[in-house]
Amino acid sequence: MALGETVLMDFDQEMANTRKTLERVPVERADWKPHEKSMTLGRLARLVGDLAGWPTVTIEKDSLDFAPPGAPYQPPPPPRSRQELLELFDKNVSAARKAITGSSDEHLKKPWSLLSGGKTIFTLPRVTVLRTTMNHMIHHRAQLGVYLRLNGVPVPALYGPSADEGQM
């Protein structure tokens, strides 16, 4: 089995679970956050939607500097509607799936680097970065699940029943 095929098995499952979570985001509460150090709900939801597109960058470029020198970081605006959030996510998933499908094992074994301010944070084989990026998205999806719960929104069942769906 090709590396891309292996990645896609995980990718498809995690993207389906992520979409279930994003479908419940109360976008009208975009400014809400559980703690002063936390991201707002809107920023977190946008981040989860954006992370679905990172595989495309990982495959198409050799590196990414998410805070290039001389350019202050500007987070993207939060989604204005649930539909906008889901369209962003779906577009990113589609592009990422296409990029993964079109990648050879040889390309997926090549190094890729993440930088901040021109300094390398890590360099890993692309296939490892794909998994690491999915893990990162899952981490933020879990945070989003907590935000949902704290806002009285039922948390979807992802790997089995949730307290809000099905029998626990």
Side-chain angles (χ1 to χ4, degrees), residues 8-50:
L8 282 175
M9 287 190 295
D10 287 338
F11 182 82
D12 289 342
Q13 177 187 0
E14 296 306 337
M15 295 308 119
N17 282 341
T18 300
R19 194 173 202 292
K20 280 193 230 178
T21 304
L22 292 176
E23 287 170 350
R24 298 183 183 203
V25 170
V27 175
E28 67 280 1
R29 303 229 33 211
D31 291 337
W32 183 88
K33 59 184 182 175
H35 188 274
E36 65 186 47
K37 293 182 182 180
S38 299
M39 280 186 245
T40 64
L41 184 135
R43 183 170 175 206
L44 180 60
R46 172 67 190 248
L47 175 60
V48 171
D50 285 341

Side-chain angles (χ1 to χ4, degrees), residues 128-144:
T128 303
V129 174
L130 292 174
R131 183 69 238 183
T132 301
T133 300
M134 261 193 292
N135 290 347
H136 189 78
M137 187 198 64
I138 292 164
H139 159 77
H140 286 302
R141 182 182 72 208
Q143 286 179 313
L144 197 51

Side-chain angles (χ1 to χ4, degrees), residues 11 50-64 89-101 103 107-108 112 126 129-130 133:
F11 182 82
D50 285 341
L51 284 169
W54 276 47
T56 306
V57 174
T58 301
I59 290 167
E60 293 179 355
K61 299 185 178 196
D62 291 330
S63 64
L64 171 68
F89 176 75
D90 290 343
K91 181 183 103 189
N92 284 336
V93 168
S94 178
R97 197 169 200 296
K98 183 178 177 183
I100 294 166
T101 301
S103 292
H107 185 69
L108 291 174
W112 186 88
R126 281 178 165 85
V129 174
L130 292 174
T133 300

